[in-house]
Amino acid sequence: MKVAYWPGCVSRGFTPELHGSMAAVAPLLDIELVELDRACCTGAGVIAEHSQELADTLNARTFALAQAVQDADLMMNICSTCQGAQSESQERLDANSDYRTHVNGTLAGEGLSYEKGLTNKNFLWLLVEEIGLENLKAKVKRPLTNLKVGPFYGCYIVRPTDRLGIDDEHPRDHYLHWVIEALGGTVIDYAGIHKCCGFPIITMNKDASLTQAGRHLSDAQDAEADCLVVPCPLCHLNLDLQQPLAKKAVGRDDLSMPVLHLPQLVGLALGLEPKQLGMSKHVVKPTAVIDWSSAVVGAPAPA
Amino acid sequence: MAEYTLKLRRYDPQSGEAPYYEEFQIDLEPHRSVLEAILQVKAEQDGSVGIRCSCRAAICGSCGVRINGKAGLACHTHLDHAAKTGVNADGKTILVEPMGNMPVIKDLIVDMDAVHWKKIQRVTPWLINKQPVPEREYIVPHENMVDVTQTMACIQCGACVSDCLSMEVDPLFVGPAASAKAYRFVGDPRDAEQFERLKDLAEDPHGIYDCTHCFNCIEACPKGVAPMNQIMRLRRIAGNDHHIVDRNNGERHERAFVSLIRDYGLLHEAELLPRSYGGDSWFGKFHPAAGQELLDSLPVLVRGIARGKFAPKKAIFGHRIASADLKAVKAIYDKVEGKPRRYELNLYISGYEDDDAPGAAEEPATVAAGGDGMPSAPGPDPNRPTAASESESA
């Protein structure tokens, strides 16, 4: 399938391994990525905090660019925070035609216009709803047997449920669990699964922010997870890049929890090598912590 | 009738025993409430179960509990719904626990006075009259009062406080319910102390900038108050209208973020950090507050560079979108930011257009109509004319 692909800022900035691993995994899943390289930041909730209209207009521009991609099935992102910020703007734009007309008026100078009803899915949703778990399972070359994975969703992709289309038919707050299982891994249940990584307040209340990250890492480690998997690069910053400080914040010297981006976990099961997926770029190197010989059985099966 | 297993968390601090879980089998129709199930257990199986309740109709706010890990009103949750929500749901078992972030008095009863009511009191939850007080009633524009009705819908059940993830790590955080209450008066045109209220909450290290934007309070609230949205409105009025530069970096962080996207199109992470501490310019990093933070973060940055996470050049200069697109982004900024008033669409008030409903198109779903028929943000008072005062004079 062909998707208008919004990679976000951080996946091309401080977590380049996310963008890189997505690009490596896409062809294996028959996803053609048309990168929206003309679009700007979603505002991550901060621009909306400053001015809703500004955030909505910037996002409407991105939506319009996505709708201009020929034959694209939908728009896809790889960042929970982008999904949340875009869904918030889209909710307002779709709910009120006067508002939409007004915002489109601002975009008119560039010849762009957003038409109600864009489908915008995080890679996680796309995996389950478009590619399908059975299809995904069939593509697995190296099942993640014995790998104990703690899902960490990030707030923006699970709340508010009505805005994000989470209901009985679309239990999107369960999808990470399902994907881990489809890849052959074992889901680890721990307290932090649907909690906040603390990133948004890292500059405002650093102690509280790092304590949040430290607690979730500790809970996962105490539940004997080998690693966490996140669909959000901002969670990754607080859980991985800041892990040495988070350890101190909760007084846990023994903490050492690798945090994988979702495309990395998928890529691993589809037979790619850790290095190809940029796993050596993490602060907590997954290769240093996970015993790959027992956790991920052998080399990938021959094609 | 259907059978359910009610799994209750039992705890009596005076007994000296640790908390434990106890299961009860109940037989009730699926549309009956979790509260009815608890009361059935209490009446027929174990009279010692502690639960606080009164109206049984989701209006008194007494029966806040955690059902399958999420806060809500026991009387407002159907058994069939409760049995199938939660990651470990089996369609039969319903886990009921006391609300979080507050001490347990007994079983499902928490001490609201110790946490919730203290925080409500902290935000001066009453109107401070503008002087002179009119001889008769205040004449208040309808739109302004409609704007605060969302926060007035709060029934003080404490569900948002229970699930607040900031409060979980910082118990001193003023929290969602009290912040929503603060907006109730900040948004009220009769109140004389909008600036003082905002200054107080912005400067408090556990005030409005301590919210981690996790949406849990929005999800927990049974009345649609959306406390987090009210916190964002408090920040918006504090920073944009009153220019309150707080000691918590809240306003600086927001301003730095907004202007970095204007200048780069994409987030420049390495600039955001020092500017949030030292101020929104390239020189922000030389401010003493930024210097200290950079020094603290140095090991993190060095580690990132050593791992090949980011190239030094990228860390310093950031990344940008193409110049033509950056120009378009700036044009949007100029147009939107150049307006005298902010436009703000509150869907709680305006509702959602239903395309299929007849006549939907003829009724634009806006309430606080401004000059060009757009919904308008509550502004500062009395520095700028509000949408409502304009429409009155029109």
Side-chain angles (χ1 to χ4, degrees), chain A residues 4 7 19 62 74 81 97 100 103 112 122 140 144 149 157 163 169 172 176 192 207 255 284 289 294 297 302:
Chain A
H19 184 42
T62 305
L74 47 80
T81 304
S97 49
R100 195 163 60 246
V103 167
L112 291 171
N122 184 274
V140 170
L144 305 177
V149 188
I157 205 178
R163 178 187 294 160
E169 282 77 49
R172 291 170 162 176
L176 211 42
D207 282 343
L255 262 190
V284 182
V289 178
S294 68
V297 180

Side-chain angles (χ1 to χ4, degrees), chain A residues 123-134:
Chain A
F123 177 52
L124 175 65
W125 300 353
L126 183 125
L127 270 178
V128 176
E129 294 168 5
E130 306 292 330
I131 292 173
L133 292 171
E134 287 310 312

Side-chain angles (χ1 to χ4, degrees), chain B residues 56-69:
Chain B
R56 307 183 194 192
I59 196 61
C60 77
S62 299
C63 65
V65 288
R66 264 187 180 161
I67 301 166
N68 294 333

Side-chain angles (χ1 to χ4, degrees), chain B residues 55-128:
Chain B
C55 77
R56 307 183 194 192
I59 196 61
C60 77
S62 299
C63 65
V65 288
R66 264 187 180 161
I67 301 166
N68 294 333
K70 288 185 174 180
L73 297 174
C75 72
H76 195 48
T77 309
H78 292 293
L79 289 167
D80 54 350
H81 177 76
K84 67 184 180 197
T85 47
V87 168
N88 301 314
D90 61 2
K92 188 175 181 295
T93 310
I94 300 164
L95 174 67
V96 187
E97 298 167 293
M99 292 196 290
N101 285 330
M102 289 178 268
V104 174
I105 294 175
K106 184 174 185 290
D107 295 337
L108 304 173
I109 305 168
V110 296
D111 190 348
M112 300 277 287
D113 290 338
V115 181
H116 174 72
W117 291 112
K118 262 195 187 142
K119 291 181 187 297
I120 294 287
Q121 282 166 11
R122 189 245 167 277
V123 300
T124 320
W126 58 84
L127 192 78
I128 300 170

Side-chain angles (χ1 to χ4, degrees), chain B residues 122-389:
Chain B
R122 189 245 167 277
V123 300
T124 320
W126 58 84
L127 192 78
I128 300 170
N129 290 327
K130 265 185 192 155
Q131 300 296 335
V133 176
E135 270 178 44
R136 291 171 58 86
E137 66 272 20
Y138 279 98
I139 306 296
V140 178
H142 176 66
E143 290 82 0
N144 287 52
M145 294 318 286
V146 169
D147 178 65
V148 291
T149 51
Q150 187 175 13
T151 53
M152 287 158 82
C154 175
I155 56 169
Q156 312 293 340
C157 67
C160 60
V161 174
S162 159
D163 284 11
C164 174
L165 293 178
S166 271
M167 215 184 276
E168 200 173 271
V169 290
D170 178 9
L172 295 175
F173 175 41
V174 65
S179 300
K181 177 60 86 179
Y183 184 78
R184 193 252 162 269
F185 297 104
V186 163
D188 192 320
R190 297 168 298 176
D191 195 84
E193 306 216 342
Q194 188 187 61
F195 171 79
E196 290 78 3
R197 287 176 187 275
L198 290 165
K199 174 99 175 156
D200 173 39
L201 287 169
E203 291 286 13
D204 186 337
H206 313 282
I208 49 175
Y209 290 111
D210 207 12
C211 165
T212 187
H213 214 270
C214 74
F215 302 90
N216 247 4
C217 56
I218 296 182
E219 201 58 25
C221 180
K223 291 289 166 183
V225 172
M228 192 194 94
N229 291 353
Q230 313 308 331
I231 295 174
M232 296 307 135
R233 299 167 101 190
L234 291 171
R235 289 183 183 180
R236 205 173 290 147
I237 301 171
N240 292 335
D241 297 337
H242 292 294
H243 309 290
I244 298 168
V245 181
D246 56 286
R247 73 187 82 176
N248 305 306
N249 306 323
E251 189 271 351
R252 274 190 298 272
H253 177 75
E254 179 195 303
R255 194 144 48 92
F257 194 108
V258 171
S259 64
L260 283 171
I261 304 308
R262 180 197 165 97
D263 295 342
Y264 292 82
L266 299 172
L267 185 60
H268 187 341
E269 299 100 326
E271 270 292 314
L272 180 63
L273 188 72
R275 288 189 190 195
S276 297
Y277 286 85
D280 182 27
S281 87
W282 185 83
F283 296 100
K285 56 179 89 56
F286 301 111
H287 188 279
Q292 184 57 48
E293 178 54 31
L294 280 176
L295 209 61
D296 290 348
S297 304
L298 204 58
V300 174
L301 293 172
V302 168
R303 211 177 296 114
I305 289 168
R307 290 281 152 84
K309 207 169 180 39
F310 29 81
K313 189 179 161 223
K314 197 162 200 177
I316 294 165
F317 298 108
H319 47 176
R320 287 172 206 264
I321 52 176
S323 61
D325 295 303
L326 205 50
K327 218 172 130 189
V329 167
K330 281 185 179 156
I332 291 172
Y333 266 76
D334 289 343
K335 186 153 183 206
V336 176
E337 299 279 83
K339 288 175 187 162
R341 287 180 290 112
R342 285 188 307 278
Y343 283 148
E344 207 174 299
L345 183 67
N346 186 347
L347 293 173
Y348 175 84
I349 292 165
S350 69
Y352 298 76
E353 266 173 25
D354 183 359
D355 291 340
D356 303 328
E362 291 91 65
E363 291 177 57
T366 56
V367 169
D372 56 357
M374 288 303 303
S376 168
D381 187 80
N383 306 331
R384 291 183 200 184
T386 62
S389 61

Side-chain angles (χ1 to χ4, degrees), chain A residues 19-28 33 272 276-277:
Chain A
H19 184 42
S21 57
M22 187 65 237
V25 163
L28 303 180
L33 302 175
L272 298 173
Q276 278 177 285
L277 297 162

